[in-house]
Amino acid sequence: MPVSVAIVGSGPAAFYTAAALMDSGDDVCIDIIERLPTPYGLIRDGVAPDHQTTKNIANKFEKTAMREQVCYFGNVGVGRDVQLIELREIYDAVVLAIGSPEDRVLDIPGADKTGVIGAATFVRWYNGHPDFRDLAPDLNISTAVVVGVGNVAMDVSRLLCLSAEELAATDLPDFAEKAILQSPIHDVYMIGRRGPTDAKFTNVELRELGDMAECVPQVRPEQLPGSVEGDYPDRDKRLRERNLETLLQYSQAAIEGKPKRIHIEFLAAPVEILGGDRVEGIRMERTRVEAGRAITTGDFFDIPCGLVIPAIGYRGTPIAGAPFDDDRNIISNEDGRVEDGLYVAGWIKRGPFGVISSNRPDGVAVAGHIHDDFEGGHKARNPGREALREMLKERNIRSVSFDDWKKIDAAEIANAGGTRPRKKFVTIEAMLGVLDNS
Ligand code: NAP
């Protein structure tokens, strides 16, 4: 009898886990259970729409999904349609790969004003996630402030400043493309509370700003140190030096005749969002860095703006039936082990850090634990898939198979037209409608 494994979530951590389980050589039967009809998590809803080559990793995940041992159950919400405790009764092992879906909270006065939109929300809006399609952010503004200098801040700042031609090569949904195209926005401030050599963005993403059609990055030369100070491991130091070199180039570049600017500003922490019900500006406080920490100086300045996007990191949320570590916003675990038969992988295991392939070792670790805990299959005892099918049938839950997803996928690609890779369906009804009509 194979070891029955349910993986909750269908992002990179889920697919790396499924692949590692099959690589283990054990007899396994793997079900990937996803709340949306569409698979791939952050590949579809997080990776920027102008980074289509990054999304190609989905081709590899597709091969995993099509392996004989694997079955995809889309449109099945754990905690909504079935409970974790029920999955644990019918599967030998349950792996939670549910990511960190929420924004870390920017805890300053005025952060609840209209026009303050966390990056996790904003990114899913422009990526056409069904839950966020009605966000309708007001982009009838001239200036936006993005708080944070990580890769998400970079994505959001860049997206706001893409040209019509650049947008036309993305899979941005129509409503987002229209809002960005019609926006009179010309200045985006991306602000780090620490110094230029502490920025979290990576160099490829930083250099991309220099190649934009209608936008130039701006950096104030007086903010840049002559060299990277501090005791860092060699590789880390090299990465910081590379960023510093690129920032130096940007600080020296003549302002070309491009209409939009992304100002990369350092050494300033957000203090208060200004305005009435709506955002009218943000108050910042100058900082200096001591021992790697931002120290406030009592020196304040305001930036008038109509939109503030905190891009200060993501946050995991609890799921009923699993112990949660409120300090770290992850499910409590020891290298992926939660309790007997319950495991975690990806951001909900270790926090929201790293690139797509950083999830691979999590999958390998979980596969190792499952191999050990079920003695290579000798201790398998639960029916898994057939029991889930029965449960969904009893509850009248319409699950979406991987073949169904491929039909939705084909329809999105067929609807694309022109230079677009696809035109996403942005409602569950429209996705299921494709299946009704096929
Ligand atoms: P991140 O890399 O952790 O960056 C968060 C930024 O927010 C940092 O600059 C941080 O500053 C700042 N911050 C945190 N709390 C703050 C506060 N209270 N006030 C002001 N600033 C604050 O997180 P992320 O950008 O959300 O990215 C998450 C992960 O996804 C990262 O590993 C990222 O590399 C990855 N990702 C990769 C790509 C890509 O490869 N293209 C694209 C998107 C995301 P401090 O450093 O001072 O804390």
Side-chain angles (χ1 to χ4, degrees), residues 147-152 155 193-194 200 205 311-313 347 352-354:
V147 180
V149 283
N151 279 328
V152 172
D155 283 347
R193 61 181 170 181
R194 298 188 292 149
K200 296 269 177 68
E205 281 67 25
I312 59 173
W347 282 5
F353 308 105

Side-chain angles (χ1 to χ4, degrees), residues 68-249:
E68 202 184 334
Q69 302 96 316
V70 180
C71 192
Y72 175 72
F73 289 85
N75 202 33
V76 177
V78 175
R80 179 186 69 190
D81 303 317
V82 294
Q83 302 304 316
L84 175 57
I85 191 171
E86 294 174 321
L87 290 181
R88 293 185 68 184
E89 279 164 11
I90 60 176
Y91 285 89
D92 293 317
V94 177
V95 184
L96 298 171
I98 53 178
S100 304
E102 302 288 333
D103 279 296
R104 278 185 64 197
V105 178
L106 181 64
D107 192 14
I108 59 173
D112 55 350
K113 290 187 196 303
T114 304
V116 180
I117 304 173
T121 298
F122 195 70
V123 166
R124 280 178 289 182
W125 168 72
Y126 66 55
N127 270 319
H129 188 297
D131 292 353
F132 298 88
R133 67 177 193 277
D134 295 326
L135 183 71
D138 182 0
L139 299 187
N140 189 21
I141 52 163
S142 57
T143 305
V145 169
V146 178
V147 180
V149 283
N151 279 328
V152 172
M154 200 53 109
D155 283 347
V156 168
S157 303
R158 192 182 66 252
L159 253 287
L160 284 170
C161 297
L162 290 181
S163 68
E165 202 179 327
E166 286 164 336
L167 286 170
T170 71
D171 59 2
L172 214 67
D174 290 345
F175 56 75
E177 182 175 5
K178 196 168 153 205
I180 293 173
L181 268 180
Q182 291 181 348
S183 171
I185 194 164
H186 47 71
D187 285 281
V188 174
Y189 288 82
M190 186 167 72
I191 308 185
R193 61 181 170 181
R194 298 188 292 149
T197 59
D198 304 307
K200 296 269 177 68
F201 48 63
T202 39
N203 194 250
V204 176
E205 281 67 25
L206 178 60
R207 278 189 281 123
E208 220 180 331
L209 295 189
D211 296 327
M212 293 178 70
E214 291 184 351
C215 180
V216 277
Q218 299 215 309
V219 177
R220 293 194 293 130
E222 61 273 26
Q223 289 213 310
L224 302 181
S227 60
V228 175
E229 303 288 325
D231 210 5
Y232 301 110
D234 284 353
R235 184 172 176 274
D236 198 12
K237 186 159 187 177
R238 258 200 321 280
L239 295 176
R240 288 167 197 256
E241 282 170 346
R242 233 174 265 163
N243 274 355
L244 188 55
E245 273 166 36
T246 310
L247 290 167
L248 193 64
Q249 284 165 17

